[in-house]
Structures are given as structure tokens and as C-alpha cells.
Amino acid sequence: MNILTSFAYLVAAVLFILGLKLLSSPRTARKGNITGAMGMLLAIVVTMLDRNILDYTFIIAGLVAGGSIGAFLAYKVEMTAMPQMVGLLNGFGGAASTLVAYAEYLKMTAREGGMAAGTTGDVWVTVSLSVLIGTITFTGSMVAFLKLQGLMKSAPVLYKMQKQINAVMFLATVALAVMFVLDPTDPLPLIAIIALSAVLGVTTVIPIGGADMPVVISLLNSYSGLAAAMTGFVINNSVLIVSGTLVGTSGLILTNIMCRAMNRSIFNVLFAGVGADYEGAVTESVERTVVRYTPDDAAFILENAQSIIIVPGYGLAVAQAQHVLQEIATLLSADGRTVRYAIHPVAGRMPGHMNVLLAEANVPYDLLMEMDQINDDFQSTDVALVVGANDVVNPAARSKKESPLYGMPILNVDQAQTVMVLKRSLNPGFAGEDNDLFYDKKTMMVFGDAKGTLTNLLQILKK
Amino acid sequence: MSETLMVSITIFTLATFIGIEVISKVPPLLHTPLMSGSNAISGITVVGSILSAGEGHAGLSVILGMIAVIFATVNVVGGFLVTDRMLGMFKKEKSGKTDNNAA
């Protein structure tokens, strides 16, 4: 590699870092993304000028095909389907890493006449790691994609000795890697590593339930970065190492944030199969009554309120009611009321998902408040309007030690003067825990489909 | 351990610290664009795949390289474009209020 190429790669890496830095504020974020894209363009152009490239046919064909598929996906995808999209892209990144590492292996063994003379063992270690992580990322992401897209049941798939079988497969992969490093001329162990990792990717993701997908997607995001970094180790390319590592840490940080927001350890998410014993977790239902209110009652209370905090949950997005909700919010704030949104970190199906869904519905981002920013304001708020959220506002998380939700940080909606809950039914949320909030005296339950109720409410408010 | 590997490990370690530093400053508001955008960046594997695909002789490694180019390019193009599309939706309140960075 000549000095100029190396220098260009350095510039590309710096552009990636600057791009991510600009993502720290919504005002500069778009510029940051473009900065990153410029870095990528530079890296690709410089690579194309490499003297070792003798034939451009396959490269151009690949770039055109991949570019059109990518552009098509990017413009077509619905914002609600963002988690699947990211899952799919993670997987593709992983697959590319495996393929490059394997192609590099073929090149190295061919060059050195079958025997890997002069090549030290480390290269083969990195090749093994690269195909291992890349392949797990690929098949794991495909399962995550199928689950999120609804093409596969999102409930955990559990079977006997699952963890033990996975552990044995993993150890077998390590043993194969050792065999491969000792005698890299034989490609069979490497192929076996790929096959086993492919199975491992599937068997480690199927036991994870639908509601834990934000964690899985973040973790796979991290893997896809690691896979790219490992490929960088294989082909000795610093820009791959730097960018892959950045993505790896990003995914890890997000995984950590998601776990904390659910008060679960990553171990619990990956291995506990939460959600499978859904029926069993439902507490014995004591006969309690809730007071039903109509949209008319709700409109009356909202009109007499000065400050309102809206708490959206994924149910809102499922009902596609974001736009109506924002119309209501605009209408209410036009009369001088303070209307803000409180976003729980796990509202949605991936980190930050709810913010994107509301931004799409033209909610200005300065009205979207993080949990820590707004949680103390509930006590001085007239109405907390909960739409399609459940577990993230369940006070059991604070008080009920035996509850699966216990310890999870929640939005303090119960501290508002009045709590208004728009919900389909009293069914418990994902955690299976009955929500005491619904039975509270100051809570107004308005039953019905979120979109229908909100549309109704909007019409009444307009009068 | 070879010297090249040691250099790679050094870069990897330092990049981890930069990553933690930079990423932890991204607000939760932008975590989805962060994921799709960083995803595009991990498509940097395209660089490796271009080198594999352009070797000239039509061996297996060239075919694998081309498939890798396709996958990585989907990742790059799809990731950056969808991130741009999303970020375009984030708008500030456009009422008469002036932007005083009230936080």
C-alpha cells in the first residue's frame, strides 16, 4: 500500500469520527451523516485506484447492484420498520466481513503455494475470528429481521439443553479454530467454523423474545462493527479497524443503555428467554374496577389543563396514530398550554425509535424530552396523557419487589394531577404485570383503539 | 506475535476510547440515526471486498469478493441514505420563539 493511499484512509477515518461527533446535536446531525458519507466515498475512490486491481468488471457490477438495492431500501422503508432495516444492514455487514476474510484466505494460500510459509499464526487467528463474528452477525441478524418483520413468531423459541448445546457448539468452533491455525493449508476446519457459526447465530437469537429486540439489534450492531474491525486485522487495513471499532463501541454503549432502561443484565436478556412463560407470569387477578371515561370527558379535562405531558408507547405507532396525536398537541398548545412528550428509552422497538416516529409526525424535536429531563416535572403537571404505553409507567417497578418489572426506571406519570390512559384493554404489558396505575382514583381510562379515540378527541376539541 | 498485529491492536485499542468518548455524547433523541449511520460506516468492509473482487483472474476469491461488494454497498448506501432521510425529519419548533438554547 503506498503512502498516499494510507494517508487517504487516515483522512477517511477522521471524517468518520467527525461525522459521529456532529451527531451529538440534532442541529448538526445531518451534516455529520454527510461527513461520514464523504469519508466513505474517499475510501472507496482511493481503493479503486489501487495498483493491484486488474479488472473492474466485478467491482462495478457489485457497486451498482448493491447501491441500487441500498437506495431502494432506504427510500422505501417505513419508519416503523426501521429496526428490521437496521437488522438487515447489520447482517449484510457481517456477511461481507466473512466473505472478505475467506477470499483473503484463498489468496494467501494460493500465493504461498499451498504452504503458508512466512505467514505467522496470528493471521489465521484473525481470519478465524473474522469469519466467526461475521457469520454469527449475518445469521443472527436474519433471525432478528424475520422476527421483527413478523415472518417468524416473535416469542422466544426454547428447547431443552439450549444453553448447553450452544456452549458445546461454541467450544467446537474454538477447537476448529485451533486446528485451522495449526494447519491452515486445510480449508475444511475454516468451512466448518463458518457452518457452525451460522447455526450459532440462529440458535442464540431464537430464544430472545420480541420485546427484547432493541437489545439484540444493538448487540448485533456492535458485532457487525467488530466483524469489520477483525477483517481490518486480516487485511492489515487501519481504516477498517478504526471504523469497525467505532461501530463496535457504539453498539455496546446502546446495548448497555437498553439493558439499564429495562433493569436487566445483558446475560438475562440473552439467556433467560423472557416472554415465553407469559401466561404463568400473569398475577392472580383480583377483581378490581376501573372507571371508564369517554373522549368527551377527556376533552373537558384537557381543555381545562395548563400543562400536559404526553407519554407515547409503541401501541401508538402500531395504531399509526402519531399524526392525530400531534394535531391534538398543536391544537392544545395553540391556546397557551404547555404540551410536551416524555420518551422512555425503551419506547419503540430500537434505541431512539419513538423519537423518529414522532419526528416523522412533525413533532418538533425540542418537545421530545428524555426520561431524566422530564421525570421531575410530572408533579407540577396537570395531565399526563398515556397513549399505548404500559410497562414504562407501571408503579410496580418502584414498589413491588416480586414483580418482573421491579427496579426498572419508569416515567412518574402517577405524580401528575390527572392521569389519562388511552388503551385498548386492561391487558398487562409485555412483563405480564398488572398495572396499578389503571385503578388509581386520579386515573381516567379511555378504552378503544388509539387512532379512533384520538380522532374522536380531536373532533371534540376542534368544536 | 508479529509487529503488524501489534500495530493493529494498538489502533483497535485507541479507537475504542475515541468511540466511547464520541458515542456517549450522542443524545437518546438521535440513537436510531446513530445506529443506521454507524451501520453505514461499518460497511467500510467494502474497501476489502473491492480489493478481493478486482484481482483479475476469475477465481473463487473474485466471486466471493464481488458478493462481498454487493453486501457491503447495500450497507453503505442504504445506511447513509436512510439516516439522511430520518435526520431530515427532525425539525425544531418553528413558532416565533427565538432559539436561545434553552435546555
Side-chain angles (χ1 to χ4, degrees), chain A residues 397-414:
Chain A
R398 274 194 230 121
S399 52
K400 217 165 158 187
K401 281 215 167 60
E402 66 281 7
S403 163
L405 288 175
Y406 184 70
M408 171 174 151
I410 57 163
L411 289 162
N412 299 329
V413 291
D414 54 341

Side-chain angles (χ1 to χ4, degrees), chain A residues 157-224:
Chain A
V157 178
L158 301 172
Y159 46 87
K160 264 199 189 126
M161 305 276 285
Q162 195 164 21
K163 277 168 249 177
Q164 288 84 341
I165 294 170
N166 283 347
V168 169
M169 280 198 285
F170 182 73
L171 290 177
T173 323
V174 175
L176 284 164
V178 173
M179 276 172 69
F180 171 68
V181 173
L182 291 177
D183 178 19
T185 47
D186 182 6
L188 270 182
L190 190 61
I191 294 170
I193 293 176
I194 296 177
L196 262 183
S197 326
V199 178
L200 264 174
V202 175
T203 54
T204 46
V205 176
I206 49 171
I208 303 169
D212 283 341
M213 276 303 143
V215 181
V216 179
I217 290 288
S218 315
L219 196 62
L220 288 168
N221 191 230
S222 175
Y223 286 178
S224 77

Side-chain angles (χ1 to χ4, degrees), chain A residues 121-363:
Chain A
D122 339 319
V123 181
W124 311 120
V125 176
T126 56
V127 168
S128 320
L129 274 175
S130 186
V131 298
L132 169 75
I133 303 176
T135 313
I136 289 189
T137 311
F138 176 58
T139 55
S141 299
M142 289 307 125
V143 174
F145 168 78
L146 291 175
K147 282 194 171 202
L148 287 161
Q149 186 69 30
L151 297 170
M152 193 177 145
K153 228 172 61 156
S154 80
V157 178
L158 301 172
Y159 46 87
K160 264 199 189 126
M161 305 276 285
Q162 195 164 21
K163 277 168 249 177
Q164 288 84 341
I165 294 170
N166 283 347
V168 169
M169 280 198 285
F170 182 73
L171 290 177
T173 323
V174 175
L176 284 164
V178 173
M179 276 172 69
F180 171 68
V181 173
L182 291 177
D183 178 19
T185 47
D186 182 6
L188 270 182
L190 190 61
I191 294 170
I193 293 176
I194 296 177
L196 262 183
S197 326
V199 178
L200 264 174
V202 175
T203 54
T204 46
V205 176
I206 49 171
I208 303 169
D212 283 341
M213 276 303 143
V215 181
V216 179
I217 290 288
S218 315
L219 196 62
L220 288 168
N221 191 230
S222 175
Y223 286 178
S224 77
L226 266 185
M230 283 304 140
T231 311
F233 276 80
V234 174
I235 63 172
N236 261 318
N237 188 316
S238 56
V239 73
L240 256 78
I241 301 178
V242 173
S243 358
T245 311
L246 290 174
V247 181
T249 45
S250 164
L252 269 188
I253 290 174
L254 294 173
T255 307
N256 189 31
I257 292 174
M258 288 296 106
C259 283
R260 249 185 311 164
M262 298 196 292
N263 191 39
R264 310 247 313 269
S265 68
I266 180 71
F267 192 83
N268 179 273
V269 171
L270 295 182
F271 302 114
V274 169
D277 49 354
Y278 183 79
E279 299 299 334
V282 180
T283 44
E284 71 291 359
S285 48
V286 190
E287 276 304 312
R288 287 190 286 185
T289 48
V290 292
V291 191
R292 285 161 187 271
Y293 289 86
T294 64
D296 283 289
D297 305 326
F300 178 77
I301 297 289
L302 287 173
E303 274 171 339
N304 285 297
Q306 272 315 303
S307 49
I308 298 159
I309 296 179
I310 301 174
V311 179
Y314 195 64
L316 173 76
V318 171
Q320 282 296 321
Q322 308 94 294
H323 288 88
V324 195
L325 181 62
Q326 173 55 11
E327 272 189 70
I328 293 178
T330 320
L331 199 66
L332 288 170
S333 56
D335 294 344
R337 295 179 193 86
T338 326
V339 184
R340 292 176 295 171
Y341 290 81
I343 312 292
H344 193 277
V346 295
R349 282 287 175 272
M350 72 185 287
H353 195 194
M354 188 51 73
N355 297 299
V356 174
L357 295 172
L358 291 172
E360 190 192 18
N362 298 320
V363 179

Side-chain angles (χ1 to χ4, degrees), chain A residues 9 23-24 30 33 40 53-54 74-75 77 82 89-90 93 107 122 245 247 254 351-353 364-366 370, chain B residues 2 5 12 16 27-28 30 32 35 38-41 47 54-55 64 66 74-75 78 80 84-86 91 93:
Chain A
Y9 283 161
L23 269 181
S24 59
R30 205 165 181 186
N33 185 51
M40 188 61 75
I53 296 181
L54 303 171
Y75 285 112
V77 67
M82 229 28 235
L89 292 179
N90 281 338
K107 241 195 282 182
D122 339 319
T245 311
V247 181
L254 294 173
H353 195 194
Y365 63 75
D366 33 352
E370 292 164 34
Chain B
S2 68
L5 182 64
F12 177 79
T16 308
L30 297 175
T32 298
M35 277 185 94
S38 66
N39 215 310
I41 293 176
V47 165
E55 260 187 278
L64 294 180
M66 186 183 80
V74 173
N75 207 340
F80 280 124
D84 188 64
R85 196 179 138 207
M86 257 190 280
K91 293 199 179 70
E93 201 169 15

Side-chain angles (χ1 to χ4, degrees), chain B residues 11-56:
Chain B
I11 297 173
F12 177 79
T13 312
L14 296 180
T16 308
F17 282 96
I18 297 177
I20 294 171
E21 205 54 41
V22 173
I23 306 292
S24 49
K25 298 220 166 55
V26 178
L29 175 75
L30 297 175
H31 277 170
T32 298
L34 167 67
M35 277 185 94
S36 55
S38 66
N39 215 310
I41 293 176
S42 78
I44 186 70
T45 326
V46 73
V47 165
S49 52
I50 286 175
L51 293 173
S52 300
E55 260 187 278

